[in-house]
């Protein structure tokens, strides 16, 4: 595909890296972001930027640009907050509907949607796309609803779609992004290293895993973005997991970070958290088959790139 790609959420952690990658592939790029979390400075100046909320009138964007496809990253994504503020998180759904209605009106025929492993809920083990979906938080519910609505718009209006269910995205995409509101294990470990936190708390050490701590599937942001570029070009409508088919335990993350950085990461064990499954890993067979995509970066690569970003900002 060539032409103009509309990137929603293009000022965020993943979207801003995708914008750069698209520009590098000679696409024209238009970004919509409400800057609720994203930062304008992360958006490459070669992209055309609109500070807009997806629930607002978007016609200006579609009138002023001939959009060929949409990569839809924009969403609120804090799981706990979604359980406290369903009104805010419902915008994930209404914003998506608003966007799809514009796509119908302006004859835009393809969307790549950022979905999440959160649609599977309290699943355990290696998950294929056929695994039952049963979100256990409102954030995951909004993602699943969006997937369903997109599928219907595809049926009714012939919009091509790929819903990509990301597992745990990590690493630096070259923009030195620091999570302003760290809730995930990678930025938490980094905050300990740069002395913004005292120690890493590992929740639970008696899970049925190789070292008793929870295992998750970490995917490098650059590999993730590559998958989006490939998805633009496939003639396939459906859902694809994005993960590595491998997992790392929390204790391994702490140990590998100590090894990569050459300094012990202080940690302690805490109690299990409610609702944390022992192991969550993506089967990525379908991504390989449909997108011809394979992750290239390792967890140690992710640790190294994230640390470089944090080190630069704190030293
Ligand atoms: N980071 C992960 O590990 C992960 C995992 C699974 C799924 N996802 C999904 O990937 C997408 C991108 O995630 P991210 O990590 O880059 O998050 P992020 O918060 O850094 O980026 C999301 C961007 O969307 C913008 N935004 C949010 N709601 C908006 C709205 N209503 N209108 C306009 N802009 C809006 C925010 O300002 C932000 O810049 C999200 O949809 C997220 O749910 C992320």
């Amino acid at each position: 595909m060539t032409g103009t790609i509309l990137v929603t959420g293009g000022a965020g952690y993943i979207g801003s890296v995708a914008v750069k990658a698209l520009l590098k592939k000679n696409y024209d790029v238009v970004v919509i972001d409400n800057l609720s979390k994203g930062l304008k400075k992360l958006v490459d100046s070669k992209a055309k930027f609109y500070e807009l909320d997806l629930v607002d009138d978007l016609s200006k964007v579609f009138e002023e640009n001939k959009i060929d496809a949409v990569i839809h990253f924009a969403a609120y994504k804090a799981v706990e907050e979604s359980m406290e503020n369903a009104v805010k998180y419902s915008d994930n759904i209404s914003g998506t509907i608003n966007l799809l209605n514009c796509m119908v009106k302006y004859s835009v025929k393809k969307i790549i949607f950022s979905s999440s492993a959160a649609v599977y809920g309290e699943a355990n083990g290696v998950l294929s796309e056929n695994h039952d979906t049963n979100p256990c938080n409102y954030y995951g519910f909004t993602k699943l609803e969006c997937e369903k609505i997109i599928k219907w718009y595809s049926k009714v209006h012939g919009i091509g779609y790929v819903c990509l269910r990301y597992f745990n995205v990590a690493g630096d995409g070259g923009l030195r992004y620091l999570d302003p509101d760290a809730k995930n294990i990678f930025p938490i470990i980094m905050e300990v290293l740069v002395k913004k936190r005292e120690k890493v708390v590992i929740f639970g050490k008696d899970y049925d895993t190789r070292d008793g701590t929870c295992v998750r599937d970490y995917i490098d942001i650059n590999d993730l973005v590559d998958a989006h570029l490939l998805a633009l070009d496939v003639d396939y409508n459906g859902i694809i997991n994005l993960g590595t088919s491998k997992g790392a335990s929390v204790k391994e993350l702490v140990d590998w970070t100590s090894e990569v950085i050459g300094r012990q990461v202080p940690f302690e064990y805490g109690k299990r958290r409610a609702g944390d499954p022992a192991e969550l890993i993506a089967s990525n067979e379908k991504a390989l088959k449909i997108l011809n995509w394979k992750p290239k970066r390792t967890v140690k690569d992710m640790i190294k790139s994230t640390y470089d970003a944090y080190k630069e900002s704190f030293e």
Side-chain angles (χ1 to χ4, degrees):
M1 164 175 281
T2 52
T4 302
I5 312 295
L6 171 61
V7 179
T8 74
Y13 167 52
I14 304 170
S16 59
V17 177
V19 167
K20 277 232 178 271
L22 287 162
L23 289 165
K24 210 168 159 197
K25 289 259 176 201
N26 293 320
Y27 287 103
D28 291 318
V29 179
V30 175
V31 170
I32 295 177
D33 201 297
N34 64 4
L35 300 181
S36 57
K37 174 123 191 241
L39 299 171
K40 175 82 197 308
K41 69 171 187 196
L42 292 176
V43 182
D44 192 293
S45 57
K46 291 192 275 309
K48 198 163 166 187
F49 181 76
Y50 291 85
E51 185 176 341
L52 275 176
D53 195 295
L54 277 189
V55 300
D56 293 338
D57 180 5
L58 305 176
S59 50
K60 182 176 171 195
V61 179
F62 288 83
E63 296 282 350
E64 290 179 2
N65 305 280
K66 165 82 192 79
I67 307 291
D68 294 290
V70 176
I71 305 186
H72 178 26
F73 293 106
Y76 302 117
K77 64 164 193 179
V79 167
E80 279 158 34
E81 189 191 34
S82 78
M83 299 297 280
E84 288 150 16
N85 193 348
V87 172
K88 174 175 175 184
Y89 280 72
S90 296
D91 283 1
N92 287 354
I93 303 171
S94 38
T96 299
I97 295 174
N98 192 26
L99 178 67
L100 287 164
N101 287 341
C102 286
M103 289 178 66
V104 172
K105 185 169 172 196
Y106 293 93
S107 303
V108 182
K109 289 292 179 199
K110 177 122 188 178
I111 184 166
I112 314 295
F113 173 62
S114 299
S115 188
S116 164
V119 300
Y120 295 116
E122 287 181 21
N124 201 38
V126 182
L127 310 182
S128 81
E129 293 79 356
N130 295 327
H131 194 281
D132 288 348
T133 50
N134 188 17
C136 54
N137 51 64
Y138 190 63
Y139 163 72
F141 171 81
T142 68
K143 289 292 176 186
L144 189 58
E145 286 305 290
C146 288
E147 285 188 1
K148 290 180 185 165
I149 293 163
I150 289 169
K151 187 172 174 189
W152 272 107
Y153 269 70
S154 175
K155 271 191 195 163
V156 177
H157 296 289
I159 292 176
Y161 75 99
V162 183
C163 294
L164 297 171
R165 289 180 179 163
Y166 315 162
F167 280 60
N168 299 66
V169 189
D172 183 67
L175 291 173
R176 300 294 189 240
Y177 175 86
L178 306 190
D179 194 327
D181 183 25
K183 294 202 168 64
N184 298 332
I185 186 70
F186 259 76
I188 286 174
I189 292 178
M190 297 305 147
E191 288 190 357
V192 171
L193 282 171
V194 297
K195 302 200 166 34
K196 215 179 144 193
R197 277 175 203 258
E198 203 188 324
K199 55 180 87 151
V200 178
V201 181
I202 301 181
F203 298 109
K205 59 173 178 178
D206 56 353
Y207 286 94
D208 185 15
T209 59
R210 49 189 173 265
D211 60 17
T213 68
C214 287
V215 170
R216 296 289 179 269
D217 189 340
Y218 298 94
I219 169 170
D220 186 276
I221 184 171
N222 302 287
D223 286 333
L224 184 98
V225 165
D226 287 349
H228 289 71
L229 298 184
L230 293 167
L232 281 175
D233 278 328
V234 290
D235 186 16
Y236 169 80
N237 294 329
I239 291 162
I240 300 177
N241 281 343
L242 288 182
T244 62
S245 283
K246 284 184 214 140
S249 76
V250 184
K251 178 68 168 52
E252 281 168 341
L253 283 186
V254 169
D255 289 347
W256 294 346
T257 306
S258 304
E259 191 186 313
V260 170
I261 309 307
R263 188 148 50 92
Q264 191 58 47
V265 178
F267 74 94
E268 67 180 13
Y269 289 106
K271 282 194 187 134
R272 283 184 179 209
R273 284 186 308 196
D276 265 348
E279 192 171 84
L280 264 188
I281 296 174
S283 157
N284 65 10
E285 269 176 47
K286 193 170 174 186
L288 179 60
K289 192 165 148 222
I290 307 276
L291 301 177
N292 194 21
W293 171 88
K294 238 189 183 166
K296 298 187 194 114
R297 285 92 172 172
T298 65
V299 172
K300 287 187 183 173
D301 294 331
M302 298 173 218
I303 292 170
K304 172 88 178 53
S305 67
T306 314
Y307 180 63
D308 287 345
Y310 273 76
K311 190 176 66 174
E312 215 168 77
S313 312
F314 283 90
E315 282 181 0

